[in-house]
Amino acid sequence: MDHNRDAALLTALMDAAADAIIVADRHGVMQRVNPAAEQLFGFSTSVLVGQSVNVLMPKALADLHDGFMAHHLETGEKRIIGIGRDVEGKRQDGTVLPLHLSVGSAEVDGDTVFIAILHDLTARHAAQEALARSQRLDAVGQLTGGVAHDFNNLLTVIIGNLELLQMRGADERQSGLIDDALTSAEMGADLTRRLLVFARKGDLKPVEVDLRELCRDALAILKRTIGERYEIRTDFAKSVSKVMIDPVQLQSALINLALNARDAMPEGGEFLISVADITIDDHYMAQETDIEPGHYVRLFVSDNGEGMPLEAQRRAFEPFFTTKAENGGTGLGLAMVYGFVRQSGGHITLYSELGHGTSFGLYFPALQRARTLQTSGEDQIGSDLPRGTGQVVLIVEDNPHVRKLSIERIRDLGYQTLDAASGDDAYALLGTGAHVDVLFSDLVMPGSLNGYDLAAKVRAEYPHVKILLTSGYASDVITGKMGATGEYKILHKPYRYSDLAERLQALLWSVS
């Protein structure tokens, strides 16, 4: 009786654990795995049980693992037991993820059994990387501000002396040389002013404005300069809160972003400028955007150009970093935008996919009637939000950090989840006979199937599966070259917790 009770308690413990738990024998063969391990590695229990734990490791670690096990059993040295360390794991799709591994051992029926607990460090690593990037930009900003200030003093002396020479009756030849020197000095002064904006030490003149009006004024300039090969679309909300910003700097920032978008579309294309209020009021959305909860007016500038590689995205806001040096790029445009937004009390986000385009989001604190923020996401998971009753949602997302957030969100709403890192993997999973009620897929993914392709196949072959698509772009500016038909409504990232809950309920209660 006690044995049955202990077995039931162990099963309940493993099922309840948020971290992966694996029980293996002395040879490293898995005897039991919990549901969290299935979700983490993408394998089913039936596949894992009976296999070596080496299948969950990159090859380099797997080659060493058996030797570590044998050494521990022979000598009793505890290199890992009871200590814990950071390692790498390997999912079924071959992707590698960071983990914290804790290992314990026990004697069961005269044989050694190992218990491994694995905690996914993907979100922590992403947060650390974002913090390091922010700290690097702040450090560069402090250095840049100091250098720019000193250069301004030097240039003030240079310009002043040149003007004195000019006023004292220089001859025609000397005047030409002085004019050239003054022009160069003024260019240097303009450069330092731009650097001070990045360093958030420039002088702003904020006033209460409507972002839509500022965007319309800037577009009047843009349409005359970018050329006929480029289409500018706008999507302005009917009602938008006022913000307190410098109009000149905002228009300069918008023009910088639009010209960047033009350069990413050498053969022509389209970009979209949208303005709308947005409330960030749950911990998931704040974590996804790295933005403090609050009420904002969001300006999106999206293009359907070449997109940016990961390294360019990481360094996009650093001064003097440019991918267009051969075309005269200075690397100061985005640095200025970043500095202006941050000095205005706002935030900036960047979303880009190679071959599909780029979207910048500028978030400015809204000036509006005092409103009480809703409580965090955990407190919203009450009876006021529509909940699932165990239906299965297949989450398809190639970004591991966003995929993990989506899994947490949807599980907290009372659904079960399966997940895949690409449209191809999701389609293969459905082909195994896995039961799925809702497909929740990103639009842009690696592999042969994008979100629309996957949705079309699922609708044709699995008509009982409901479909919800999501995108990090401000609008469907990229969907023309993805085979879009317009029959799906897109849930745009970042989305609120309540929006996700309502969309899922609406799908499941809709009549096909």
Side-chain angles (χ1 to χ4, degrees), residues 172-225:
E172 185 176 343
R173 179 175 174 274
Q174 291 170 336
S175 292
L177 294 172
I178 292 172
D179 286 342
D180 289 345
L182 273 173
T183 300
S184 296
E186 290 289 354
M187 290 174 63
D190 180 64
L191 172 63
T192 57
R193 281 193 292 270
R194 293 159 73 188
L195 287 171
L196 284 170
V197 171
F198 166 74
R200 296 176 240 165
K201 295 181 179 179
D203 294 328
L204 297 182
K205 298 177 180 177
V207 295
E208 186 174 320
V209 296
D210 185 325
L211 269 183
R212 296 170 299 180
E213 295 177 3
L214 293 183
C215 289
R216 290 188 185 103
D217 293 342
L219 287 176
I221 301 172
L222 280 172
K223 288 177 179 177
R224 293 193 299 266
T225 59

Side-chain angles (χ1 to χ4, degrees), residues 17 25 54 60 70 102 126 128 137 170 172 203 246 254 283 291 299 306 354 362-363 454 463 468 508:
D25 64 18
N54 290 1
S102 303
Q128 289 171 342
L137 285 171
E172 185 176 343
D203 294 328
D246 185 325
L254 182 57
H283 81 290
I291 294 175
L299 166 63
E306 298 170 343
L354 275 176
L362 279 59
Y363 295 74
L454 176 63
L468 177 59
L508 289 167

Side-chain angles (χ1 to χ4, degrees), residues 380-399:
Q380 292 184 37
I381 307 171
S383 57
D384 56 325
L385 283 184
R387 296 175 56 83
T389 54
Q391 296 94 334
V392 179
V393 179
L394 172 56
I395 300 163
V396 192
E397 169 63 60
D398 61 308
N399 184 307

Side-chain angles (χ1 to χ4, degrees), residues 108-153:
V108 178
D109 298 329
D111 203 359
T112 303
V113 174
F114 294 96
I115 301 95
I117 300 176
L118 301 116
H119 178 69
D120 187 359
L121 297 178
T122 302
R124 182 188 299 178
H125 281 204
Q128 289 171 342
E129 183 179 336
L131 176 61
R133 184 165 58 249
S134 176
Q135 289 174 335
R136 183 174 69 250
L137 285 171
D138 285 342
V140 172
Q142 290 180 17
L143 174 63
T144 302
V147 171
H149 180 269
D150 289 344
F151 266 98
N152 260 345
N153 290 337

Side-chain angles (χ1 to χ4, degrees), residues 135-431:
Q135 289 174 335
R136 183 174 69 250
L137 285 171
D138 285 342
V140 172
Q142 290 180 17
L143 174 63
T144 302
V147 171
H149 180 269
D150 289 344
F151 266 98
N152 260 345
N153 290 337
L154 295 172
L155 289 166
T156 298
V157 175
I158 293 171
I159 292 171
N161 280 301
L162 288 170
E163 288 175 338
L164 283 174
L165 285 172
Q166 200 171 45
M167 292 168 58
R168 289 179 179 178
D171 60 35
E172 185 176 343
R173 179 175 174 274
Q174 291 170 336
S175 292
L177 294 172
I178 292 172
D179 286 342
D180 289 345
L182 273 173
T183 300
S184 296
E186 290 289 354
M187 290 174 63
D190 180 64
L191 172 63
T192 57
R193 281 193 292 270
R194 293 159 73 188
L195 287 171
L196 284 170
V197 171
F198 166 74
R200 296 176 240 165
K201 295 181 179 179
D203 294 328
L204 297 182
K205 298 177 180 177
V207 295
E208 186 174 320
V209 296
D210 185 325
L211 269 183
R212 296 170 299 180
E213 295 177 3
L214 293 183
C215 289
R216 290 188 185 103
D217 293 342
L219 287 176
I221 301 172
L222 280 172
K223 288 177 179 177
R224 293 193 299 266
T225 59
I226 64 170
E228 297 180 354
R229 291 183 300 170
Y230 303 93
E231 179 186 355
I232 302 176
R233 293 168 48 204
T234 58
D235 181 15
F236 297 159
K238 292 182 179 179
S239 175
V240 173
S241 300
K242 297 289 185 68
V243 293
M244 192 70 124
I245 58 175
D246 185 325
V248 174
Q249 291 293 340
L250 184 280
Q251 290 183 347
S252 176
L254 182 57
I255 290 170
N256 262 306
L257 292 174
L259 293 178
N260 264 341
R262 181 199 64 183
D263 293 342
M265 300 180 288
E267 304 302 321
E270 66 179 58
F271 53 91
L272 174 95
I273 298 172
S274 69
V275 179
D277 279 31
I278 184 170
T279 300
I280 295 178
D281 58 1
D282 68 65
H283 81 290
Y284 290 112
M285 194 172 183
Q287 186 178 355
E288 186 175 337
T289 58
D290 193 28
I291 294 175
E292 292 294 324
H295 302 289
Y296 297 87
V297 179
R298 180 175 63 192
L299 166 63
F300 257 134
V301 180
S302 299
D303 67 70
N304 63 349
E306 298 170 343
M308 301 170 64
L310 185 58
E311 178 62 16
Q313 293 180 49
R314 288 172 175 166
R315 303 186 60 191
F317 301 118
E318 293 181 12
F320 304 115
F321 174 78
T322 179
T323 58
K324 300 175 288 185
E326 69 281 1
N327 296 323
T330 64
L332 283 174
L334 291 181
M336 288 175 58
V337 175
Y338 174 86
F340 156 65
V341 173
R342 296 294 287 171
Q343 192 174 358
S344 302
H347 304 266
I348 186 168
T349 60
L350 165 60
Y351 179 88
S352 187
E353 295 275 0
L354 275 176
H356 290 283
T358 300
S359 184
F360 288 94
L362 279 59
Y363 295 74
F364 297 99
L367 297 176
Q368 51 190 350
R369 298 180 302 277
R371 291 169 59 187
T372 303
L373 274 176
Q374 294 181 3
T375 54
S376 68
E378 295 97 333
D379 296 328
Q380 292 184 37
I381 307 171
S383 57
D384 56 325
L385 283 184
R387 296 175 56 83
T389 54
Q391 296 94 334
V392 179
V393 179
L394 172 56
I395 300 163
V396 192
E397 169 63 60
D398 61 308
N399 184 307
H401 179 54
V402 176
R403 186 167 65 247
K404 181 177 175 62
L405 279 173
S406 299
I407 291 170
E408 291 181 17
R409 278 174 153 171
I410 291 172
R411 284 183 180 175
D412 286 345
L413 284 169
Y415 299 93
Q416 300 180 62
T417 63
L418 297 172
D419 62 276
S422 69
D424 300 295
D425 290 346
Y427 184 61
L429 179 61
L430 287 166

